[in-house]
Amino acid sequence: QKEVEQDPGPLSVPEGAIVSLNCTYSNSAFQYFMWYRQYSRKGPELLMYTYSSGNKEDGRFTAQVDKSSKYISLFIRDSQPSDSATYLCAMSAEFAGNQFYFGTGTSLTVIP
Amino acid sequence: GAVVSQHPSRVICKSGTSVKIECRSLDFQATTMFWYRQFPKQSLMLMATSNEGSKATYEQGVEKDKFLINHASLTLSTLTVTSAHPEDSSFYICSASLSGGIYNEQFFGPGTRLTVL
């Protein structure tokens, strides 16, 4: 079983839709949860970071962590064509030192 | 802040040649740098972790003699793909970790696309 599972998609939505991206994980020791956005042929850029359980909002983006279910989500409101990218979840913990565990990434296309 | 650069951004080489990729943290000192490879439509696969002044720690299945990593300073790490073959063609991404942060956030470079003919 992989440490982090993420549906690769692809996911295609119309402009303005609410997008829900999800990851599940197996190791309950993970404490830090990140979402990265990666445009084609570019390096990942950090979108959201959450420590432990709870919600975090930043503009049109909301990250949720449910540690009891080992489930994290990223919601994108009022999606825009510029949101079209691959979204990677990542997680870490003190036991892992600096190492991040990545999901496979979900490819999102927002259609104008 | 926290910018990481990679050079070159793209390289095409013949089979059997060696290729060096540089990763630099431009505005901070990185105690740890990571090297990943990414195949099309797949996630990042960690190859190795390198700390300044010490030998890199390679992930299982990654040949340390083929992928040479040097981390000579707090702002520069290099990955050399020795005797490259077509199966080494991939997107190589480095990241640098800013020490002292809550979770040692990683900042990623823009990646280097290697094509071996």
Side-chain angles (χ1 to χ4, degrees), chain B residues 1 6 20 25-26 30 33 39 42-45 59-60 65 67-68 81 94 97 103 112 114:
Chain B
Q6 271 184 252
K20 180 187 281 189
S25 56
L26 298 184
M33 287 186 171
F39 292 106
Q42 293 189 26
S43 189
L44 285 75
M45 184 190 81
E59 294 300 301
Q60 191 174 6
D65 293 331
F67 299 99
L68 301 178
V81 184
C94 73
S97 180
Y103 67 104
T112 297
L114 170 64

Short mmCIF file of all heavy atoms in Angstrom, two decimals, chain B residues 1 6 20 25-26 30 33 39 42-45 59-60 65 67-68 81 94 97 103 112 114:
data_model
loop_
_atom_site.label_atom_id
_atom_site.label_comp_id
_atom_site.label_asym_id
_atom_site.label_seq_id
_atom_site.Cartn_x
_atom_site.Cartn_y
_atom_site.Cartn_z
N GLY B 1 10.59 35.67 -1.73
CA GLY B 1 11.82 35.01 -1.33
C GLY B 1 11.77 33.52 -1.57
O GLY B 1 10.81 33.02 -2.13
N GLN B 6 17.38 26.03 -11.31
CA GLN B 6 18.02 24.85 -11.85
C GLN B 6 18.61 25.18 -13.21
O GLN B 6 18.02 25.95 -13.98
CB GLN B 6 17.00 23.71 -12.03
CG GLN B 6 16.85 22.82 -10.83
CD GLN B 6 15.91 21.66 -11.08
OE1 GLN B 6 14.79 21.64 -10.57
NE2 GLN B 6 16.35 20.68 -11.85
N LYS B 20 25.39 17.05 -16.17
CA LYS B 20 25.37 17.64 -14.83
C LYS B 20 24.25 18.65 -14.74
O LYS B 20 24.10 19.51 -15.61
CB LYS B 20 26.70 18.33 -14.52
CG LYS B 20 26.73 18.97 -13.13
CD LYS B 20 27.98 19.79 -12.89
CE LYS B 20 29.15 18.92 -12.54
NZ LYS B 20 30.33 19.71 -12.10
N SER B 25 19.93 27.51 -4.39
CA SER B 25 19.01 28.32 -3.62
C SER B 25 19.53 29.75 -3.70
O SER B 25 20.66 30.03 -3.30
CB SER B 25 18.93 27.83 -2.17
OG SER B 25 20.20 27.81 -1.56
N LEU B 26 18.72 30.65 -4.24
CA LEU B 26 19.22 31.97 -4.61
C LEU B 26 19.23 32.97 -3.46
O LEU B 26 20.07 33.87 -3.42
CB LEU B 26 18.41 32.54 -5.77
CG LEU B 26 18.48 31.74 -7.07
CD1 LEU B 26 17.71 32.44 -8.18
CD2 LEU B 26 19.92 31.49 -7.50
N ALA B 30 20.28 26.60 2.28
CA ALA B 30 19.52 25.36 2.40
C ALA B 30 20.39 24.27 3.03
O ALA B 30 21.40 23.88 2.47
CB ALA B 30 19.04 24.90 1.03
N MET B 33 19.03 19.51 0.49
CA MET B 33 18.46 19.57 -0.87
C MET B 33 18.01 18.18 -1.28
O MET B 33 18.62 17.18 -0.88
CB MET B 33 19.47 20.14 -1.86
CG MET B 33 19.70 21.64 -1.69
SD MET B 33 20.76 22.31 -2.97
CE MET B 33 20.61 24.06 -2.67
N PHE B 39 8.24 11.11 -14.12
CA PHE B 39 7.87 10.65 -15.44
C PHE B 39 6.53 11.26 -15.81
O PHE B 39 5.77 11.69 -14.93
CB PHE B 39 7.83 9.12 -15.46
CG PHE B 39 9.18 8.49 -15.31
CD1 PHE B 39 9.57 7.88 -14.12
CD2 PHE B 39 10.10 8.52 -16.36
CE1 PHE B 39 10.82 7.32 -13.98
CE2 PHE B 39 11.36 7.96 -16.22
CZ PHE B 39 11.71 7.36 -15.03
N GLN B 42 3.08 11.28 -13.80
CA GLN B 42 3.34 10.58 -12.56
C GLN B 42 3.84 11.56 -11.51
O GLN B 42 4.20 12.69 -11.82
CB GLN B 42 4.36 9.46 -12.76
CG GLN B 42 3.86 8.33 -13.64
CD GLN B 42 4.81 7.15 -13.65
OE1 GLN B 42 5.56 6.93 -12.72
NE2 GLN B 42 4.77 6.40 -14.73
N SER B 43 3.84 11.09 -10.27
CA SER B 43 4.24 11.99 -9.20
C SER B 43 5.74 12.09 -9.09
O SER B 43 6.49 11.44 -9.82
CB SER B 43 3.65 11.49 -7.88
OG SER B 43 3.86 12.46 -6.87
N LEU B 44 6.18 12.91 -8.17
CA LEU B 44 7.60 13.06 -7.94
C LEU B 44 8.12 11.84 -7.19
O LEU B 44 7.54 11.42 -6.19
CB LEU B 44 7.88 14.30 -7.09
CG LEU B 44 7.78 15.65 -7.77
CD1 LEU B 44 6.34 16.04 -8.00
CD2 LEU B 44 8.48 16.71 -6.94
N MET B 45 9.23 11.30 -7.67
CA MET B 45 9.84 10.18 -7.00
C MET B 45 11.16 10.65 -6.40
O MET B 45 12.05 11.11 -7.12
CB MET B 45 10.10 9.04 -7.98
CG MET B 45 10.66 7.78 -7.32
SD MET B 45 11.24 6.57 -8.51
CE MET B 45 12.86 7.22 -8.90
N GLU B 59 17.56 6.81 -2.14
CA GLU B 59 16.40 5.96 -1.93
C GLU B 59 16.67 4.58 -2.52
O GLU B 59 17.50 4.41 -3.42
CB GLU B 59 15.17 6.58 -2.58
CG GLU B 59 14.74 7.89 -1.91
CD GLU B 59 14.40 7.72 -0.45
OE1 GLU B 59 13.49 6.93 -0.15
OE2 GLU B 59 15.05 8.38 0.38
N GLN B 60 15.92 3.63 -2.01
CA GLN B 60 16.08 2.25 -2.49
C GLN B 60 15.82 2.19 -3.99
O GLN B 60 14.84 2.76 -4.49
CB GLN B 60 15.08 1.35 -1.75
CG GLN B 60 15.33 -0.13 -1.95
CD GLN B 60 14.42 -0.97 -1.08
OE1 GLN B 60 13.53 -0.45 -0.42
NE2 GLN B 60 14.65 -2.27 -1.07
N ASP B 65 26.04 5.17 -8.01
CA ASP B 65 27.17 5.35 -8.92
C ASP B 65 26.73 5.95 -10.24
O ASP B 65 27.55 6.46 -11.01
CB ASP B 65 27.85 4.01 -9.19
CG ASP B 65 28.53 3.47 -7.94
OD1 ASP B 65 28.94 4.29 -7.10
OD2 ASP B 65 28.64 2.24 -7.81
N PHE B 67 23.89 8.13 -10.42
CA PHE B 67 23.38 9.47 -10.12
C PHE B 67 24.25 10.06 -8.99
O PHE B 67 23.99 9.85 -7.81
CB PHE B 67 21.92 9.41 -9.71
CG PHE B 67 21.01 8.87 -10.78
CD1 PHE B 67 20.59 7.54 -10.75
CD2 PHE B 67 20.59 9.68 -11.82
CE1 PHE B 67 19.76 7.04 -11.74
CE2 PHE B 67 19.75 9.19 -12.81
CZ PHE B 67 19.34 7.87 -12.77
N LEU B 68 25.27 10.78 -9.42
CA LEU B 68 26.22 11.34 -8.45
C LEU B 68 25.72 12.68 -7.95
O LEU B 68 25.41 13.57 -8.74
CB LEU B 68 27.60 11.51 -9.11
CG LEU B 68 28.24 10.23 -9.66
CD1 LEU B 68 29.57 10.56 -10.32
CD2 LEU B 68 28.42 9.19 -8.57
N VAL B 81 24.25 12.73 -14.00
CA VAL B 81 23.79 11.46 -14.54
C VAL B 81 24.93 10.91 -15.39
O VAL B 81 25.26 11.48 -16.44
CB VAL B 81 22.51 11.64 -15.40
CG1 VAL B 81 22.00 10.30 -15.88
CG2 VAL B 81 21.44 12.38 -14.60
N CYS B 94 14.76 19.53 -8.37
CA CYS B 94 15.40 19.62 -7.06
C CYS B 94 14.54 20.48 -6.15
O CYS B 94 13.69 21.26 -6.61
CB CYS B 94 16.81 20.21 -7.16
SG CYS B 94 16.84 21.97 -7.48
N SER B 97 15.47 22.79 1.26
CA SER B 97 14.74 22.92 2.52
C SER B 97 15.32 24.04 3.35
O SER B 97 16.53 24.10 3.57
CB SER B 97 14.79 21.60 3.27
OG SER B 97 14.08 21.69 4.49
N TYR B 103 8.09 23.05 9.55
CA TYR B 103 8.11 21.71 8.99
C TYR B 103 9.14 21.58 7.89
O TYR B 103 9.06 20.73 7.04
CB TYR B 103 6.72 21.34 8.46
CG TYR B 103 6.27 22.14 7.25
CD1 TYR B 103 6.28 21.59 5.98
CD2 TYR B 103 5.83 23.44 7.39
CE1 TYR B 103 5.87 22.31 4.89
CE2 TYR B 103 5.42 24.17 6.30
CZ TYR B 103 5.44 23.61 5.05
OH TYR B 103 5.03 24.34 3.97
N THR B 112 14.49 20.20 -14.72
CA THR B 112 15.36 20.02 -15.90
C THR B 112 14.86 18.83 -16.68
O THR B 112 14.74 17.73 -16.14
CB THR B 112 16.83 19.76 -15.47
OG1 THR B 112 17.34 20.89 -14.76
CG2 THR B 112 17.69 19.46 -16.69
N LEU B 114 15.55 16.12 -19.22
CA LEU B 114 16.66 15.41 -19.84
C LEU B 114 16.12 14.45 -20.88
O LEU B 114 15.25 13.63 -20.59
CB LEU B 114 17.47 14.64 -18.79
CG LEU B 114 18.51 13.66 -19.31
CD1 LEU B 114 19.61 14.37 -20.08
CD2 LEU B 114 19.12 12.84 -18.16
#
